[in-house]
Amino acid sequence: MNTQQPLDPHGLGRVHFIGMGGAGMSAVARLLLARGVEVSGSDARDSAGLRELEALGATVFVGQAGENVAGAETVVVSTAIKDSNPELAAARAAGARVLHRSEALAAAMHGRNVIAIAGTHGKTTTSSMAAVALREAQLDPSWAIGAHVADLGANAGFGEGDWFVAEADESDGSFMAYHPTVAVVTNIEPDHLDHYSSAEAFYRAFDEFSDTIRTGGTLVACVDDPGAARLAERRRAAGAPVLTYGADPAADVVVSEVTPLGTGSSCRLDFPAAGERRTAELRLAVPGAHNVADAAAAFTAGLAAGADPVRLLSGLAGFHGSARRFDLRGEQDGVRVFDDYAHHPTEVAAALTAARDVAGEHRVLVVFQPHLYSRTREFAEPFCRALELADLACVLDVFGAREQPEPGVTGESITRFADGAAVVSTPAAEDAVAAVVARAAPGDVVMTVGAGDVTALGPAILSALARR
């Protein structure tokens, strides 16, 4: 656990990012540039993101070599960077300070009150909603989020206000670095068992995260989730401030009357304000009960930050989603094609339930790509049960990402649990595209789902729909 207080960014010297083109690394680089820090960075290939950072003043290297870090006092890495990387080896040989991305982000937050948003599911959307809502509440927040947010114009930005909204990633334990004033825990469901030794270790990590809240700071937790509710009870028993939200009438912010509204949704919120209970309608431009829950989390975090509730509701009403979260890619021949980053069974079920709301009486057709061999092995049957919410789910082979293949772990590990013909194995992407296009009719919803390169199939599906 990282128990050190964040570094002052102005004491880092020149900061070099290894793998600066990635979403998380580019966000931190953007923030340090905004704080006047000299930044350089490299990536294996060129990208629009690198060129955006170059336009902001960063020195950019395409390709990685030891000489790129010459003169850098601080070098930033992610968990994906191996010890054999030539730039990391050169930095260590030169005695440069080496920081994990989370530590560099903590330095970028220096001097601000942090809202750190954690949880197995919903972090990106809740963080995006909170930043948009706080901006509407005229608090001019800074933010760092693991996806591009159209309403904010970027995945990271530095505002003039006192608050900093950060997505806090638990996947490698790095969410311990931020020492938040407000910590949000949306839910705790074991995942990333390639990093954590057991489900118990995963739960302990969230206990440790809650212990990093600054003295007098507030935990915001979903009372409907057993793990988050347990954290809330533990914090309250210790006399620490807690705000809960959820459908439970005992919550501080009570969510009720959740209603689908086409591609949007609404609910009623009962909440404390100015020493009394108030009631308001929350209307969203995004569908699904999971988005309602994320909005309630963002609203409650805003209350903890002292924001005006009416302005928070207005900001949430104007939120139009973040990249790869039920992201409309286009429409052809009356068929709408969406893309979603869901890569855990609970997330897949939430995305497909929202798709059902949007499709109404029409069908939901899915191309799903499992992400990580370890996750596919651990959750094969729950993935199948979630995918059975679709009328047709074509399951691709596993996107291994950082993992090496495991013998016997493939997309068929999921489909062998299927009770009918709705969930089928289609290892070749072109076959999956052909299958959903052949079935799709006007009014249907087609989704590409997963954290890998399945997102690239959206345009292919739209093109095939246009040709037929």
Side-chain angles (χ1 to χ4, degrees), residues 268-296:
R268 169 178 158 166
L269 295 181
D270 294 275
F271 56 93
E276 60 182 10
R277 299 292 300 181
R278 294 173 60 179
T279 300
E281 182 187 29
L282 168 63
R283 296 180 72 91
L284 298 173
V286 290
H290 64 301
N291 278 319
V292 169
D294 292 343

Side-chain angles (χ1 to χ4, degrees), residues 6 101-102 105-106 109 114 116 167-168 174-180 214:
R101 182 190 65 84
S102 60
L105 177 54
M109 300 170 178
V114 176
E167 180 177 350
S174 61
F175 64 161
M176 309 296 180
Y178 306 131
H179 301 276
R214 297 177 188 178

Side-chain angles (χ1 to χ4, degrees), residues 378-467:
E378 291 287 340
F379 301 122
E381 185 172 7
F383 270 128
C384 188
R385 299 286 86 86
L387 290 167
E388 286 175 339
L389 292 169
D391 295 281
L392 173 66
C394 297
V395 181
L396 304 177
D397 266 341
V398 179
F399 185 86
R402 60 186 176 269
E403 294 184 344
Q404 295 300 311
E406 290 188 21
V409 180
T410 68
E412 291 186 358
S413 303
I414 294 170
T415 60
R416 67 185 176 88
F417 290 101
D419 294 329
V423 183
V424 298
S425 174
T426 49
E430 58 269 24
D431 293 339
V433 170
V436 296
V437 169
R439 289 281 300 274
D444 289 350
V445 165
V446 174
M447 294 193 70
T448 55
V449 179
D453 56 11
V454 67
T455 182
L457 298 185
I461 292 168
L462 288 165
S463 296
L465 288 167
R467 289 194 304 270

Side-chain angles (χ1 to χ4, degrees), residues 192-202 204:
H192 307 293
L193 299 182
D194 57 323
H195 174 79
Y196 294 96
S197 58
S198 63
E200 290 72 23
F202 187 82
R204 281 198 303 274

